[in-house]
Amino acid sequence: SQQGEEDPQALSIQEGENATMNCSYKTSINNLQWYRQNSGRGLVHLILIRSNEREKHSGRLRVTLDTSKKSSSLLITASRAADTASYFCATSIGGTYKYIFGTGTRLKVLA
Amino acid sequence: DVKVTQSSRYLVKRTGEKVFLECVQDMDHENMFWYRQDPGLGLRLIYFSYDVKMKEKGDIPEGYSVSREKKERFSLILESASTNQTSMYLCASSLWGESQYEQYFGPGTRLTVT
């Protein structure tokens, strides 16, 4: 099974609303990243949060990390139609080069 | 800006053909990766390279090989393409080191094997 699993699988909201998506993982991590993928394109890095951090902000993005629950959430505030994309979390496990990606949350923002 | 380019956006090959997918990055990154992306399965790591001529198997290396003769270029080779290798292939690069785990992705190659 996947190390990182996003929830929900799909999310549809109105423009201006906030979007929250969650990522759960199974083993201890060094850090966790969130990526965005527009339809049929490559992934774009959004934000990285380290295992000793609890919250991080970048523009309209807010990421939290709860290592006791092995979960992270990505909040996009005041969403725009351009935020329509798939969002993936990726976890890094102890000193390795590997990142393990989840299956993603498909976000649709309706204008 | 970091730029990762892939040789083709779309590729159609026949079963049994040898297929080369090329990836080039322009930021002097040590690490380069090849993933495949399939619906419902997310991204799965095929191979990884941390230096020229160095490579390590990822989670699904069977049916694939790689080549890294120059630091900026990482090639994925399908020795004998099969229909179950129809997929989106994504190349990525990153700097080596604790604080530099961000990956930069190319636009992807959608490969169809008929």
Side-chain angles (χ1 to χ4, degrees):
Chain A
S1 60
Q2 296 286 335
Q3 159 74 338
E5 296 193 8
E6 290 90 344
D7 170 60
Q9 291 188 341
L11 181 60
S12 187
I13 59 173
Q14 295 291 328
E15 206 166 28
E17 293 181 340
N18 295 343
T20 300
M21 51 205 88
N22 305 295
C23 171
S24 60
Y25 56 91
K26 292 181 170 59
T27 62
S28 296
I29 60 171
N30 272 357
N31 57 63
L32 183 146
Q33 297 182 25
W34 285 92
Y35 288 82
R36 183 187 75 231
Q37 183 180 36
N38 292 94
S39 180
R41 308 292 297 189
L43 278 70
V44 174
H45 179 262
L46 295 176
I47 199 163
L48 181 153
I49 187 165
R50 304 195 187 285
S51 59
N52 61 354
E53 296 175 312
R54 293 296 167 258
E55 187 170 314
K56 209 160 181 182
H57 296 255
S58 177
R60 293 185 295 113
L61 305 180
R62 173 177 167 251
V63 169
T64 61
L65 180 65
D66 187 336
T67 52
S68 66
K69 294 181 179 177
K70 292 187 169 57
S71 68
S72 173
S73 67
L74 171 67
L75 168 67
I76 304 173
T77 60
S79 63
R80 306 165 181 168
D83 295 327
T84 295
S86 292
Y87 292 82
F88 295 86
C89 68
T91 51
S92 163
I93 302 170
T96 76
Y97 57 85
K98 288 176 67 172
Y99 270 95
I100 299 176
F101 286 81
T103 54
T105 292
R106 294 187 310 280
L107 173 65
K108 188 169 186 178
V109 181
L110 305 169
Chain B
D1 275 355
V2 176
K3 194 168 183 182
V4 179
T5 57
Q6 296 183 228
S7 50
S8 306
R9 287 297 316 279
Y10 300 94
L11 207 54
V12 179
K13 295 291 182 181
R14 293 192 180 275
T15 301
E17 279 192 82
K18 191 167 185 175
V19 182
F20 293 86
L21 302 182
E22 301 280 330
C23 175
V24 178
Q25 50 94 4
D26 66 359
M27 284 302 290
D28 205 34
H29 284 172
E30 286 81 8
N31 296 345
M32 296 189 75
F33 307 80
W34 275 107
Y35 295 90
R36 64 176 283 176
Q37 184 179 23
D38 300 288
L41 296 177
L43 274 74
R44 292 179 292 168
L45 182 65
I46 303 171
Y47 266 99
F48 158 79
S49 170
Y50 54 88
D51 201 352
V52 174
K53 297 191 187 296
M54 306 305 289
K55 61 186 179 185
E56 286 197 22
K57 293 179 180 178
D59 299 316
I60 51 164
E62 296 79 19
Y64 304 94
S65 61
V66 290
S67 171
R68 193 163 180 203
E69 297 296 319
K70 294 185 177 180
K71 190 174 185 179
E72 68 270 20
R73 188 179 298 268
F74 192 35
S75 302
L76 179 69
I77 302 153
L78 286 66
E79 296 289 343
S80 177
S82 63
T83 55
N84 63 12
Q85 293 178 310
T86 291
S87 186
M88 169 73 106
Y89 289 88
L90 293 165
C91 174
S93 72
S94 74
L95 287 166
W96 180 259
E98 176 67 28
S99 62
Q100 288 138 354
Y101 283 149
E102 173 181 351
Q103 293 193 324
Y104 295 85
F105 282 83
T109 295
R110 189 166 294 280
L111 172 67
T112 302
V113 182
T114 61

